[in-house]
Amino acid sequence: AQKITQTQPGMFVQEKEAVTLDCTYDTSDQSYGLFWYKQPSSGEMIFLIYQGSYDEQNATEGRYSLNFQKARKSANLVISASQLGDSAMYFCAMREGLNFGNEKLTFGTGTRLTIIP
Amino acid sequence: DTGVSQNPRHKITKRGQNVTFRCDPISEHNRLYWYRQTLGQGPEFLTYFQNEAQLEKSRLLSDRFSAERPKGSFSTLEIQRTEQGDSAMYLCASSIRQQTYEQYFGPGTRLTVT
């Protein structure tokens, strides 16, 4: 089974609208972390936001927020007031076994977001 | 505070040749990671160092691949006898033990094997 599933290969959104990028995950660990990264056409992976499995509140970073629904195993990224510069690939990732020193990130296949002026 | 740097940014090589990539992490970061990203996919974990110790290797890292971090600073990734299937973006990331565990990525080295 896929550990990270991103079901939207591509999305088109009007500038200034909010957008939600979907991510579901699969793990049996109790302690894990969820991440969102942005990859512009230049190729560099840019860290956006992090949510720990024990965090009670949804993470927020500026225009980014993570809608964490633990029972549903979903960690959707919400971008408010989208801008042209938000056009990029977006990857959801998970790090399992935080308590056991596991270090690797497992990524989904990504969603290509295009902002329309 | 400079970010993670990788060299070269692009490499074109003929099948069967050896190639070596370099990664310089953020200076105070003791953890260094290598990932590989093929077209249309997310990055896949290859290996991880804590200081100079290589603590984890993916089964993707065949015996043609070797990574080193001799002094716990920069790292090299070598691919011997390259194959066309090795064509990919090779990404390096670094981190320091923090509450949020995020990894900071470099710009990557794009390898094309002809």
Side-chain angles (χ1 to χ4, degrees), chain A residues 91-106:
Chain A
F91 290 96
C92 180
M94 177 172 61
R95 182 171 160 177
E96 299 175 273
L98 293 180
N99 291 343
F100 301 102
N102 181 39
E103 298 275 346
K104 75 176 185 182
L105 294 178
T106 302

Side-chain angles (χ1 to χ4, degrees), chain A residues 49-68:
Chain A
I49 197 166
Y50 167 84
Q51 179 85 41
S53 58
Y54 290 120
D55 294 340
E56 294 185 353
Q57 294 197 338
N58 287 343
T60 60
E61 289 286 348
R63 293 187 300 111
Y64 304 108
S65 60
L66 199 151
N67 183 1
F68 180 46

Side-chain angles (χ1 to χ4, degrees), chain A residues 9-17 19 21 37-44 46 48 63-64 77 79-91 111-117:
Chain A
M11 288 190 69
F12 291 83
V13 172
Q14 204 74 39
E15 190 180 6
K16 299 181 184 176
E17 289 186 351
V19 56
L21 305 181
Y37 281 85
K38 172 184 179 181
Q39 189 176 42
S41 55
S42 59
E44 187 166 348
I46 301 168
L48 296 177
R63 293 187 300 111
Y64 304 108
L77 177 70
I79 306 174
S80 63
S82 56
Q83 303 170 357
L84 294 178
D86 293 334
S87 294
M89 282 291 288
Y90 287 80
F91 290 96
T111 295
R112 180 171 297 282
L113 176 64
T114 302
I115 306 300
I116 305 166

Side-chain angles (χ1 to χ4, degrees), chain B:
Chain B
D1 187 22
T2 57
V4 178
S5 61
Q6 293 186 246
N7 288 288
R9 295 292 308 277
H10 303 273
K11 178 72 176 177
I12 300 174
T13 191
K14 292 185 187 299
R15 185 163 50 97
Q17 298 293 307
N18 299 343
V19 294
T20 300
F21 311 139
R22 176 177 169 130
C23 170
D24 287 88
I26 295 171
S27 60
E28 68 270 23
H29 286 188
N30 63 345
R31 288 163 160 78
L32 187 147
Y33 313 82
W34 286 99
Y35 291 83
R36 181 175 70 184
Q37 185 178 22
T38 53
L39 206 61
Q41 300 296 317
E44 295 174 292
F45 172 79
L46 292 178
T47 190
Y48 143 65
F49 291 85
Q50 184 173 330
N51 299 312
E52 65 275 7
Q54 189 173 17
L55 296 185
E56 189 174 354
K57 291 199 300 185
S58 163
R59 55 186 168 83
L60 292 175
L61 214 66
S62 75
D63 55 5
R64 296 186 298 106
F65 288 69
S66 62
E68 293 183 341
R69 195 182 182 197
K71 297 183 180 179
S73 56
F74 73 91
S75 175
T76 58
L77 177 68
E78 181 183 15
I79 309 175
Q80 296 182 329
R81 305 181 303 281
T82 52
E83 301 172 355
Q84 287 190 322
D86 297 331
S87 295
M89 176 78 87
Y90 290 84
L91 294 163
C92 176
S94 70
S95 75
I96 190 168
R97 191 77 178 170
Q98 285 180 344
Q99 187 176 2
T100 55
Y101 305 103
E102 66 260 33
Q103 297 176 14
Y104 297 90
F105 282 79
T109 294
R110 182 168 295 284
L111 173 66
T112 302
V113 181
T114 61

